[in-house]
Amino acid sequence: MSNAKDNQGTLWEVFIQSKSGLPYKHAGSLHASDKELAIQAARDTYTRRNEGTSIWVVPAECIVASNPNDQEELFDPMNDKVYRHPTFYVMPEGAKHI
Amino acid sequence: MLNLCKHFELMENELLESKFQARIDADEKIEPRDWMPDAYRKHLIRQISQHAHSEVVGMQPEGNWITRAPSLRAKMILMAKIQDEGGHGLYLYSAAETMGITRDELIQQLHNGKAKYSSIFNYPVVTWADIGAVGWLVDGAAIVNQVSLQRTSYGPYSRAMIRICKEESFHQRQGYEIMAHMALGTPEQKEMAQDALNRWWWPSLMMFGPHDSDSPNSGNAFKWKIKSESNDELRQKFIDKTVQQAEIIGLSVPDPDLKWNEARGHYDFGKINWEEFQNVINGNGPCNKQRLEHHVRYHEEGAWVREAANAYAEKKKKNSVVAA
């Protein structure tokens, strides 16, 4: 992602946990030359209003993403597996707490 | 043979384009790795980068007032606002970069004039009341535009807009608070507030861009749902909600033709001086030269910081390899 002229540092993806117990969520990205500066910049850029209690920064090039062209192949097979959902099953009339 | 290949390529492009349009029509968001027409990409890079540059250049006129803020409270607020603007620039640069352009290219385009920033920042901010007017009117106009852009079809741009809108409303309220204080203060202070309104009103209306009838790029922007409301619709929204805010603090909007139109349910307003608008866009505003020179200068003077940070990162990487 970097060309010869580009001296803005590595691209990092920033994930923020808004409070303990909740999942980390992608907040955005930023440039920084190393991980310490990336955390510092993430704090200044994405948590100016108490948006988080914890930050992950990940070099963007380390993220492996699925290809949008493979969407059908990857996800469509799940469409006909309705038996994976609890509503698929017929419960005897009158059964409780199930 | 070559012709046949070309033919198939064209057919494939048409197919991709119709799939793309179908997704847009179904209100699906487009994400960075999805196929998109070149013109869509170009349009968004131009729009998002102009937006990012505006946030960053907009820090200059306000930064000039940090040491002159009338109280510690005002100074803290102003610094927080300017830091936000820098943050907004960063969200938007990141969104533009997902389309395959680098940060350096974006900055280069600003410096060589290929990319623009909002021409509102080419007006001088000469009094403390101007800081109030900028927050109230300039940020107010920007919010009307940005609220609408939250629904834009490109995912990263939409997400940046949602974040920016959350933060921006404090900007407008702090500006209006300054105006209200001055308008209700001494006669001199009120005069200063009125003077600021007089100078900032029309440039703020110009921020929405040319009238719909003179807006050459808007056809595709609507088709691709980059925009959902036109320049004139957004401008009208801004006027309709701002007039009452001026009245309640005893200031008058500098437009003799401004009056409520019962039938339309909107304010009618006077003619905008588009000649002035074009003139400022073309580089002849009061501060164009100063703003750009300032940006170039600090970018160049900061080069050693980026180089040092990169060199330090390299050195640490090498040391950790040796240690392992």
Side-chain angles (χ1 to χ4, degrees), chain A residues 48-70:
Chain A
R48 288 194 302 282
R49 287 174 176 77
N50 290 324
E51 289 93 336
T53 52
S54 177
I55 304 173
W56 287 350
V57 290
V58 183
E61 61 179 14
C62 292
I63 292 179
V64 184
S66 64
N67 188 329
N69 293 332
D70 298 340

Side-chain angles (χ1 to χ4, degrees), chain B residues 84-272:
Chain B
D84 272 356
E85 308 297 7
H88 297 174
L90 291 179
Y91 309 158
L92 288 160
Y93 282 128
S94 297
E97 287 169 71
T98 63
M99 305 211 92
I101 187 165
T102 66
R103 181 76 59 91
D104 264 333
E105 285 172 302
L106 290 165
I107 293 170
Q108 242 167 48
Q109 289 183 354
L110 173 67
H111 289 179
N112 67 23
K114 196 183 160 206
K116 304 267 188 229
Y117 55 88
S118 177
S119 54
I120 193 84
F121 300 115
N122 291 321
Y123 291 89
V125 174
V126 290
T127 71
W128 180 249
D130 283 29
I131 288 289
V134 166
W136 174 37
L137 302 173
V138 175
D139 288 282
I143 289 170
V144 169
N145 190 31
Q146 287 165 346
V147 163
S148 181
L149 281 171
Q150 289 181 109
R151 294 187 303 268
T152 194
S153 60
Y154 188 55
Y157 192 25
S158 159
R159 293 193 281 277
M161 281 296 105
I162 290 169
R163 213 184 168 88
I164 287 174
C165 283
K166 265 190 210 153
E167 302 184 348
E168 196 86 36
S169 67
F170 121 62
H171 298 184
Q172 194 192 13
R173 290 174 65 120
Q174 67 85 34
Y176 187 53
E177 190 191 76
I178 292 172
M179 289 301 267
H181 267 139
M182 295 192 74
L184 303 170
T186 64
E188 289 84 1
Q189 286 170 331
K190 181 172 181 182
E191 200 185 310
M192 217 186 251
Q194 182 63 54
D195 172 59
L197 173 56
N198 292 349
R199 282 178 293 108
W200 288 93
W201 176 256
W202 291 102
S204 299
L205 298 191
M206 294 176 199
M207 282 175 69
F208 296 96
H211 286 305
D212 299 347
S213 48
D214 304 318
S215 187
N217 292 329
S218 54
N220 279 336
F222 283 109
K223 185 178 120 193
W224 292 327
K225 296 194 182 165
I226 292 171
K227 285 182 83 162
S228 54
E229 288 167 285
S230 75
N231 295 354
D232 284 332
E233 284 169 334
L234 294 167
R235 182 165 21 241
Q236 185 74 59
K237 256 190 192 170
F238 172 70
I239 293 170
D240 289 349
K241 63 182 192 179
T242 309
V243 171
Q244 188 266 350
Q245 294 164 5
E247 280 168 359
I248 213 166
I249 57 174
L251 297 182
S252 51
V253 172
D255 178 359
D257 298 320
L258 185 84
K259 64 169 186 295
W260 180 252
N261 182 327
E262 194 66 55
R264 283 203 318 129
H266 293 294
Y267 279 97
D268 289 337
F269 54 97
K271 270 213 168 77
I272 294 171

Side-chain angles (χ1 to χ4, degrees), chain A residues 69, chain B residues 4-20 35:
Chain A
N69 293 332
Chain B
L4 204 61
C5 285
K6 263 245 147 29
H7 181 69
F8 278 123
E9 209 181 290
L10 277 177
M11 265 175 49
E12 192 179 297
N13 253 335
E14 255 171 51
L15 188 71
L16 286 168
E17 225 170 307
S18 75
K19 266 190 180 167
F20 172 83
W35 185 91

Side-chain angles (χ1 to χ4, degrees), chain B residues 55-90:
Chain B
E55 299 280 357
V56 171
V57 174
M59 295 164 81
Q60 289 183 34
E62 294 187 315
N64 189 40
W65 278 92
I66 292 177
T67 53
R68 299 172 175 83
S71 68
L72 186 57
R73 178 183 185 268
K75 190 189 291 242
M76 287 192 310
I77 291 170
L78 189 58
M79 285 197 292
K81 179 177 191 292
I82 295 167
Q83 193 191 19
D84 272 356
E85 308 297 7
H88 297 174
L90 291 179

